[in-house]
Amino acid sequence: MASPRQPPTKPEFWRIRNIKTSDEDAAREWLQGQVKELVISEGQGFSLAADSERTLCATLTSHERPTPPDRGWRVDKDFIGFTPLSDPDNANVDIIAVTGLGGHALGSFRSADGTLVWLRDFAPQDIPQARFITYGYNTNIID
C-alpha cells in the first residue's frame, strides 16, 4: 500500500495571471482562503497587483498547486517575465528585482521557513511609494 503523499518541506510559489480587474475582490478572498493552511506570523502569503489596465497578477505561497475558480485565470510556477508584487496608487519609483543564476524570481527572496518573501510581504510596507516587480528568466546553468 502506498504511503500518503507528504507536502514538500517548504511551500512552493505560484503565479496566477489573467485576473480581470473586475474580479479583484473575488481574487483577494480566494487568495486569503488558500493561505489558511500556512502558519504565517507576519505578512500575508500572497500578493495581488495590476499587471495592465485590465488585468491583475497574483502570487501565492502554497504546498499544493492552486486551483482557482473557473474564470480564465492561468497558474504557473516558472515566473518567466515580469511579475508585479505591489502597485500603490501613489507609486513614484519602480523597484525591479532580478535573481542570479540558479535562482528563482520569487523563491530567492524567501524566509528560512519558506513561507514569506521579503519583496512581497515586507518591502512594500517599508517603502510604501514603491512598486515592486520581480523579473524571472531561465536561470538554469548548463554543463
Side-chain angles (χ1 to χ4, degrees):
M1 179 172 176
S3 61
R5 183 172 170 252
Q6 297 296 317
T9 322
K10 290 185 180 181
E12 294 182 290
F13 299 109
W14 302 91
R15 178 170 63 174
I16 301 96
R17 300 172 65 192
N18 202 39
I19 302 169
K20 293 179 182 151
T21 53
S22 59
D23 287 339
E24 181 173 4
D25 291 339
R28 189 171 306 283
E29 184 177 327
W30 177 78
L31 289 162
Q32 288 169 338
Q34 294 297 300
V35 296
K36 285 186 179 182
E37 71 176 63
L38 299 174
V39 178
I40 299 177
S41 58
E42 299 180 73
Q44 55 184 9
F46 70 89
S47 65
L48 183 62
D51 64 355
S52 76
E53 290 182 11
R54 291 187 233 154
T55 61
L56 304 170
C57 179
T59 66
L60 174 67
T61 303
S62 177
H63 286 289
E64 302 287 329
R65 179 182 174 85
T67 306
D70 187 19
R71 296 177 184 219
W73 302 355
R74 294 189 311 258
V75 177
D76 74 77
K77 65 178 183 176
D78 298 326
F79 287 78
I80 301 298
F82 290 102
T83 302
L85 302 174
S86 65
D87 65 338
D89 292 333
N90 61 345
N92 58 19
V93 65
D94 290 338
I95 297 176
I96 301 173
V98 181
T99 190
L101 291 175
H104 183 272
L106 207 57
S108 293
F109 306 98
R110 77 167 72 209
S111 60
D113 70 356
T115 58
L116 299 174
V117 178
W118 174 76
L119 286 172
R120 179 190 68 196
D121 296 308
F122 301 109
Q125 286 74 36
D126 293 339
I127 310 171
Q129 284 125 351
R131 182 179 6 261
F132 284 88
I133 303 164
T134 185
Y135 181 76
Y137 61 98
N138 182 350
T139 65
N140 294 331
I141 301 170
I142 300 174
D143 294 330

